[in-house]
Amino acid sequence: MGIEESIKCAYVESYNGIRKGDKKEEVELIKQMILNAKNIVVATNNPKKFKVVKDILLKILNKEKNKNIVISKIDIPTEVSDLTRMPALNKGLIAADTSNADIIIARGRFGVPGSGSMLLIMDNKGRILTGSLSPSSIIHKKSIEDTVKSELIDALKRIGITGNHW
């Protein structure tokens, strides 16, 4: 079953009032979409954020023997997304609209200034596959590199790609 069929089934179950939560096969489908991605775009032009994401993804995907991976960053100034209500989501949508990525990693402010940050992993249609939130940096006081690493690992853990070894 593909992602579209999975989404359709979940819609029908919800409409009929019989949906009882996520299914193992739905989570596995998302996991395989990410692990089998050949072209991943990171929706940032920040070299520090890009390096952290790329290094983690290469470690994980190379373990899965996925040798022909292209991981690139977006060529558009993503700061324009800060003018929207959900900057992280909008960065991902910009990447979905302007690239031929299989998977998009988008990270930025969650909502209003002070709301913290959000990292999203999306498919090529801009659908959210998994994600993670962090409190405002004024609260957690971590470096940008440590925060991005933590968010990405958390997002991947949510669908069973990484364990507690990080």
Side-chain angles (χ1 to χ4, degrees), residues 37-49:
K38 300 289 184 201
N39 185 6
I40 300 172
V41 170
V42 183
T44 188
N45 51 13
N46 180 314
K48 289 180 181 181
K49 292 178 191 177

Side-chain angles (χ1 to χ4, degrees), residues 49 52-53 56 60 107 117-121 130-135 140 142-158 162-163 166:
K49 292 178 191 177
V52 170
V53 171
I56 291 170
I60 291 166
R107 195 255 179 204
S117 62
M118 176 168 53
L119 181 136
L120 297 172
I121 301 178
T130 185
S132 179
L133 298 173
S134 289
H140 66 65
K142 294 181 194 173
S143 70
I144 189 72
E145 295 90 347
D146 287 344
T147 305
V148 171
K149 179 180 179 180
S150 174
E151 288 172 356
L152 180 55
I153 291 167
D154 186 46
L156 294 170
K157 278 182 185 177
R158 290 176 186 275
T162 59
W166 288 88

Side-chain angles (χ1 to χ4, degrees), residues 2-162:
I3 191 73
E4 284 79 13
E5 188 62 29
S6 175
I7 292 167
K8 182 179 176 182
C9 286
Y11 283 169
V12 171
E13 288 173 358
S14 292
Y15 176 77
N16 290 324
I18 58 171
R19 182 137 177 99
K20 303 294 183 208
D22 294 340
K23 297 176 184 157
K24 183 178 178 181
E25 58 269 16
E26 293 167 341
V27 176
E28 186 62 28
L29 181 61
I30 293 169
K31 180 179 174 180
Q32 290 308 312
M33 285 177 69
I34 294 169
L35 292 176
N36 294 325
K38 300 289 184 201
N39 185 6
I40 300 172
V41 170
V42 183
T44 188
N45 51 13
N46 180 314
K48 289 180 181 181
K49 292 178 191 177
F50 177 71
K51 181 176 178 359
V52 170
V53 171
K54 184 176 181 180
D55 290 349
I56 291 170
L57 289 176
L58 285 174
K59 262 187 210 176
I60 291 166
L61 297 178
N62 280 337
K63 283 182 187 173
E64 298 294 324
K65 311 294 185 265
N66 194 348
K67 300 293 182 193
N68 300 318
I69 311 162
V70 175
I71 301 174
S72 58
K73 57 184 171 148
I74 196 167
D75 251 349
I76 294 173
T78 57
E79 295 82 4
V80 299
S81 295
D82 286 340
L83 303 176
T84 67
R85 289 180 179 226
M86 291 188 75
L89 175 61
N90 284 286
K91 286 179 185 184
L93 294 174
I94 288 170
D97 289 343
T98 63
S99 74
N100 62 347
D102 300 320
I103 297 295
I104 296 153
I105 312 286
R107 195 255 179 204
R109 198 175 68 232
F110 176 53
V112 300
S115 62
S117 62
M118 176 168 53
L119 181 136
L120 297 172
I121 301 178
M122 305 166 77
D123 72 3
N124 60 352
K125 291 186 177 183
R127 298 176 293 208
I128 298 169
L129 303 175
T130 185
S132 179
L133 298 173
S134 289
S136 172
S137 59
I138 201 78
I139 305 292
H140 66 65
K141 300 183 184 344
K142 294 181 194 173
S143 70
I144 189 72
E145 295 90 347
D146 287 344
T147 305
V148 171
K149 179 180 179 180
S150 174
E151 288 172 356
L152 180 55
I153 291 167
D154 186 46
L156 294 170
K157 278 182 185 177
R158 290 176 186 275
I159 52 171
I161 290 181
T162 59

